[in-house]
Amino acid sequence: MDFVLPEFNAPNFESHAFISSPNVHTEEVIKNGVAPENFHATTIFPEYFKINNKWTLANNSRMDCVVVVSDDGLEVKEFRKLIVGDRVIVGRNEDATQGIYVHTNGFQSERQSDETFVFRTGRSRETSFSRDYDRLYELLRYEKDNGYIVFVLGPAVTFDQDSKKAIVSLIQKGYVHAVLAGNALATHDLEGELFKTALGQDIYTQVPISKGHYHHIDLINKARQYRSLEEFVIQEGICDGIVYACLKHNVPLILAGSIRDDGPLPGIIPNAYDAQDKMREYTKKSTTVLGLATQLHTIAVGNMTPSYQVVNSSIRPVFIYSVDVSEFVVNKLRDRGTLGATSIVTNIQDFLVNLNRNLH
Amino acid sequence: MDFVLPEFNAPNFESHAFISSPNVHTEEVIKNGVAPENFHATTIFPEYFKINNKWTLANNSRMDCVVVVSDDGLEVKEFRKLIVGDRVIVGRNEDATQGIYVHTNGFQSERQSDETFVFRTGRSRETSFSRDYDRLYELLRYEKDNGYIVFVLGPAVTFDQDSKKAIVSLIQKGYVHAVLAGNALATHDLEGELFKTALGQDIYTQVPISKGHYHHIDLINKARQYRSLEEFVIQEGICDGIVYACLKHNVPLILAGSIRDDGPLPGIIPNAYDAQDKMREYTKKSTTVLGLATQLHTIAVGNMTPSYQVVNSSIRPVFIYSVDVSEFVVNKLRDRGTLGATSIVTNIQDFLVNLNRNLH
Amino acid sequence: MDFVLPEFNAPNFESHAFISSPNVHTEEVIKNGVAPENFHATTIFPEYFKINNKWTLANNSRMDCVVVVSDDGLEVKEFRKLIVGDRVIVGRNEDATQGIYVHTNGFQSERQSDETFVFRTGRSRETSFSRDYDRLYELLRYEKDNGYIVFVLGPAVTFDQDSKKAIVSLIQKGYVHAVLAGNALATHDLEGELFKTALGQDIYTQVPISKGHYHHIDLINKARQYRSLEEFVIQEGICDGIVYACLKHNVPLILAGSIRDDGPLPGIIPNAYDAQDKMREYTKKSTTVLGLATQLHTIAVGNMTPSYQVVNSSIRPVFIYSVDVSEFVVNKLRDRGTLGATSIVTNIQDFLVNLNRNLH
Amino acid sequence: MDFVLPEFNAPNFESHAFISSPNVHTEEVIKNGVAPENFHATTIFPEYFKINNKWTLANNSRMDCVVVVSDDGLEVKEFRKLIVGDRVIVGRNEDATQGIYVHTNGFQSERQSDETFVFRTGRSRETSFSRDYDRLYELLRYEKDNGYIVFVLGPAVTFDQDSKKAIVSLIQKGYVHAVLAGNALATHDLEGELFKTALGQDIYTQVPISKGHYHHIDLINKARQYRSLEEFVIQEGICDGIVYACLKHNVPLILAGSIRDDGPLPGIIPNAYDAQDKMREYTKKSTTVLGLATQLHTIAVGNMTPSYQVVNSSIRPVFIYSVDVSEFVVNKLRDRGTLGATSIVTNIQDFLVNLNRNLH
């Protein structure tokens, strides 16, 4: 069965509620990084704002931000990016009575024909995932050419030979349009390429190598001689692995720093909010996001990914998958109100092998 | 790489310790079900007993039992099966000084060349499982014709369409020589065949069916009209699923009752210790055991499965796998001292699909 | 704040729906253990049946059973207990149109004032439990004298010195009216009393004792010399621990056998369905049930415990608590539709210490 | 029983191995942030280096760093802090043959009398924790006046009223000498103080408050008006909670930024490596570290905390506790080789209440 993009039902702007609605009220930012009181905070849903008697969609949205109105249109901004003079939309009614409309059921018809969304409230190891896999395969085949697929990868992806090969193969085949990860992912991946170990153990046999615990920091120290991972990979003749595949296939690899990092490698973004900005560049484009075996990064990305995207002037849903062996982790995204998130409870080694085998 | 059975190194019975050892001492059971004080308790290892100046291996062993000596040889018995007059071996030194020798390193050379056994003390979602999978495939290809493969199945196996198909296919291909499970497995499997649901939800789409919660007990009530699952399956025209596949391919299906059962179905063994006896019939033959997504049954079977088996007069290891999404569950078997147990942390849906895809 | 029992709102039997309803239809059992087709299956809710033009409540109910009508009134029976000639209520409409009414909102007003019931859909390690603890303390203080408190105990309760002392103290103070458990609980408890170890490790220092692995089976073998745990405890001079406390304070201790048992001890119920019957004797009386660190027993008891109880001719709710360190386990009860179940995600060692410290 | 600090056994520097050892070899850093090849990497153990024929201990150590020799002595430095000209110790033998000695058993005698260290390899929900609690109480009573206790707190601490009160009380009593946490902890804590909610739910009743989802970002936006949390707390009249208690009792509160942050609050350290530096200031002083319900921060702190500390010119152990409801999280620290780490598997709500109740 081929994937069909669910149709978006726009609000009926001809109805009384929308016509009788006032324009939005805005207030000016008087201190950098601080919104005016009573600011309207964004959600993950499509939101419309009445400006000059015209209802305008906020594009490139994300939740828990504010909307700044300018001559260029609407911009959804994090608090920390507000600058003095920004005109921020205020008002907390979301039903068009204040020029603000949050459209929570734009893809409703799809969901009505798909009752599972309603009933699968909690997902566990005992949930049946056959259909989710089948749907995901269909979705990714569609997205490969028509969407933007963002992989969010935890370091566990690199510990297993088969899962590492699977993600590399998915990159080669064109199913990965951006990778968001941390210092550990790149470090373990490159250690595997340079030394055939991960944290000093043979990546396949798991046999610890003599003085193998040095590999980890030897790798980091060696990489730090270069200005970038690209230079490192080229100079050291690395020709396989996730980092290499991303570089070769022009897949952006965004690596955020964290307090548990050794090193870090060159190219890591040390500032958490710079990293957010960089990551959001890609979630702004994303149409499907897969968060694999990383609680921190998956939640971070979930926070900055809206439930919809404007592609070729029409509105389509963004699909989010969270895959982890822990129910707590996969359900956390759901608790945070991220619509359209599908949780799969399994080891990501098997998940990636499944994906790669079913996608060509 | 083909699987090669590790060679067994028998103790050197010509050495002084064995030659100078006295014969075992035995004492008689004077109350049914109660061993004499100072009884020797069995382990999972090969154990030798000096009787009439000859060292004899206890075959068909299991841990935490006693050894009864008769003219027919040695029998490893549960306490509850002791009868008055049984001659039970006593003595707690296991080093041949009391005619008792527990041989803990009979497959040592294999382990020496395989250092992973030593180092992989704790296994988690972040352990690399590629090699374990590869080894398991090789092992099962060998065991299909040369061993006896026992599957221990939790009910989660039946909730997912793909995993259900996978286990059925493995049965058809000859990789399953016995199935040990409970009432829930058979109930959910048969509900799936009769109603296409599991606990009232469509087995593939997960959509709840109207009055579908009746399916579960309707199935049970319908089955209870028959004297056996075999009769039920034939009379109701069931022609797929795990129960059907076991019946068709003459794979013994042992179903133990439990306090959480509805029904139960015909053929369930209501008495826990009768069920143990029946299960042990199959663990006595087993050369590979896979415990999938069931803590209770996997531990029960782990308790009654020795680390070795006598096949064609030679001693070979028994391999045990425990697969579950929870580290706690898979490591529990390890904590109990079951040697040679390999833990894989993943969803058994994926595990079974992997197995079926790699075995022909 | 003192605990106040929520009031029950009976259906309005004077309303048209009830008055115009026909009497129930029954059909006779023609094979032992098998219900007639179209049987009505019970739920956890209060259910009323119109018999001889009078609406009658089924008392001592449990879910997934059938209702047998006799001159003595209504009896909620498991399928396996049906005997030829039993008149079973049939019909699957639950809205009074077939003489059957399932009253799902009898304690509604309580719940309306208590919005938390609505919103706490999933519970996790990050749920706040302060209020649940406070309510539970109030509840148990009330139930001590006015209710019937059933503890369902997993073996982990006995591994820790403080938790063992806590449950013993709760028994002494009168907060425990029945204990439902398995062979392992009693075995570990008695090993602790006789040898000061659990599975051979010192119960406090955790230091393994030389040949301590024999303690477990020595204890079992010793106990099997006696006809009952009572005789064993008296004869061996055991004067502390859970088993002893139950015997001394006349708290019924129901021990169900399982396939993972060693032994078993005297007094264990080997047949799963006999054990169910015995357990249900106590859930029939129960007004509060606490399932601690045992998935199997908690689900078994959850299945046989209704959401209400008739006490002194009036209907009151039954409160069920499920406590475990695993979200999967505590939420399983909830998934099965058990109303009024409160899940607490913590180690039961701490839970029991909390309970004992706050109850006098 | 009072806590007694285990004695440290220094190496015997008079032995032949030490006397015959050469001085360390050093090489110069020729590029900032990059160590010379063959650098010696530090461990968590006390390490001695022979310089000018004298064995010198590296103080304020941490693992996976290098040792820089200067006229001021030895400094254990992260790679990223190396500057051109730094003289880094090279050599990878740790047995004194290269002037480097890693002293792995300096507190051995303590461990010999305490066999539990050896045997408790894996810890789970079923481990007995009574003794660990008792030891921890004794330890903290000692450390209160004689040590430096660092709490590493996950945000879950703030969701529950009782746990929040407990940590505040521990701060007041003097058991908390520094708090390491993230933006979420402070945000939820302050939301609780300002609005009596956490993520919009009443912190005690869990009832969601109308428009309560705005509390979270209203709090952040309000705080961002100020230059510091201190100013915010004073100006807004906040007079309870964790942030307030830290400020009032001069307990340093180090808040590291992360990619999942909203805001952030004033005072958060946005750069991961600046945050590491700041955190290490406190781990350098720490004698006991408690990591509660945060995988990221606990591992980060575990990485930068050595197993020993020099206090009043003598060497003493550093004690690390990791408390979480997940075995995976608590055992992760152990897998990383952090010596002397004690894992407790429980909900930190109960853990903190226990601590506060037993410490005065």
Side-chain angles (χ1 to χ4, degrees), chain D residues 57-105:
Chain D
L57 176 74
N59 198 358
N60 293 328
S61 188
R62 61 157 290 185
M63 72 178 189
D64 289 341
C65 285
V66 291
V67 186
V68 172
V69 184
S70 73
D71 295 347
D72 298 338
L74 303 175
E75 186 180 5
V76 176
K77 270 195 180 182
E78 286 87 356
F79 292 88
R80 60 188 158 77
K81 310 198 89 173
L82 292 173
I83 54 177
V84 171
D86 273 354
R87 286 165 50 219
V88 171
I89 294 176
V90 295
R92 296 190 170 181
N93 292 339
E94 308 183 333
D95 56 357
T97 56
Q98 294 183 314
I100 300 167
Y101 185 72
V102 177
H103 192 40
T104 55
N105 54 2

Side-chain angles (χ1 to χ4, degrees), chain B residues 8-19:
Chain B
F8 178 72
N9 301 304
N12 179 5
F13 295 113
E14 306 308 313
S15 68
H16 178 71
F18 288 93
I19 288 170

Side-chain angles (χ1 to χ4, degrees), chain C residues 178-320:
Chain C
V179 172
L180 311 183
N183 187 59
L185 175 101
T187 302
H188 298 319
D189 175 66
L190 292 166
E191 182 191 333
E193 297 312 316
L194 217 53
F195 298 105
K196 302 298 164 210
T197 57
L199 288 171
Q201 292 192 316
D202 184 289
I203 201 177
Y204 180 65
T205 65
Q206 303 298 312
V207 179
I209 304 306
S210 174
K211 297 220 184 276
H213 63 287
Y214 265 104
H215 290 179
H216 177 69
I217 41 179
D218 273 346
L219 178 281
I220 288 173
N221 192 53
K222 197 180 282 280
R224 287 176 64 84
Q225 294 171 4
Y226 301 94
R227 276 162 307 175
S228 68
L229 286 183
E230 186 157 18
E231 197 181 302
F232 171 52
V233 160
I234 291 167
Q235 295 295 324
E236 298 288 336
I238 288 170
C239 54
D240 203 352
I242 300 171
V243 171
Y244 172 79
C246 285
L247 290 169
K248 182 170 178 207
H249 296 279
N250 293 312
V251 173
L253 174 63
I254 311 307
L255 300 171
S258 102
I259 53 173
R260 58 179 279 197
D261 292 348
D262 291 312
L265 295 176
I268 303 298
I269 306 170
N271 182 300
Y273 311 114
D274 293 346
Q276 273 193 1
D277 290 348
K278 195 74 185 170
M279 292 162 79
R280 198 176 156 207
E281 277 183 33
Y282 297 94
T283 62
K284 273 182 181 169
K285 303 186 205 175
S286 70
T287 55
T288 289
V289 175
L290 295 101
L292 310 187
T294 164
Q295 183 177 337
L296 173 64
H297 281 74
T298 298
I299 292 175
V301 170
N303 286 354
M304 59 180 93
T305 306
S307 67
Y308 68 98
Q309 208 63 278
V310 182
V311 177
N312 299 330
S313 314
S314 69
I315 298 177
R316 55 153 287 173
V318 173
F319 297 93
I320 301 188

Side-chain angles (χ1 to χ4, degrees), chain D residues 171-191:
Chain D
I171 293 170
Q172 290 167 342
K173 294 177 193 166
Y175 286 97
V176 182
H177 301 145
V179 172
L180 311 183
N183 186 59
L185 176 101
T187 302
H188 297 319
D189 176 64
L190 292 166
E191 180 192 333

Side-chain angles (χ1 to χ4, degrees), chain A residues 211 213-214, chain D residues 8-11 13 18 21 24 40-50 55-58 61-63 65 67 89 91-106 307-308 339:
Chain A
K211 297 222 184 274
H213 63 286
Y214 265 104
Chain D
F8 178 73
N9 301 304
F13 293 113
F18 288 94
S21 172
V24 290
H40 167 75
T42 48
T43 64
I44 56 169
F45 298 106
E47 303 192 359
Y48 295 88
F49 301 92
K50 193 165 187 177
W55 286 95
T56 309
L57 176 74
S61 188
R62 61 157 290 185
M63 72 178 189
C65 285
V67 186
I89 294 176
R92 296 190 170 181
N93 292 339
E94 308 183 333
D95 56 357
T97 56
Q98 294 183 314
I100 300 167
Y101 185 72
V102 177
H103 192 40
T104 55
N105 54 2
S307 68
Y308 68 99
L339 192 83

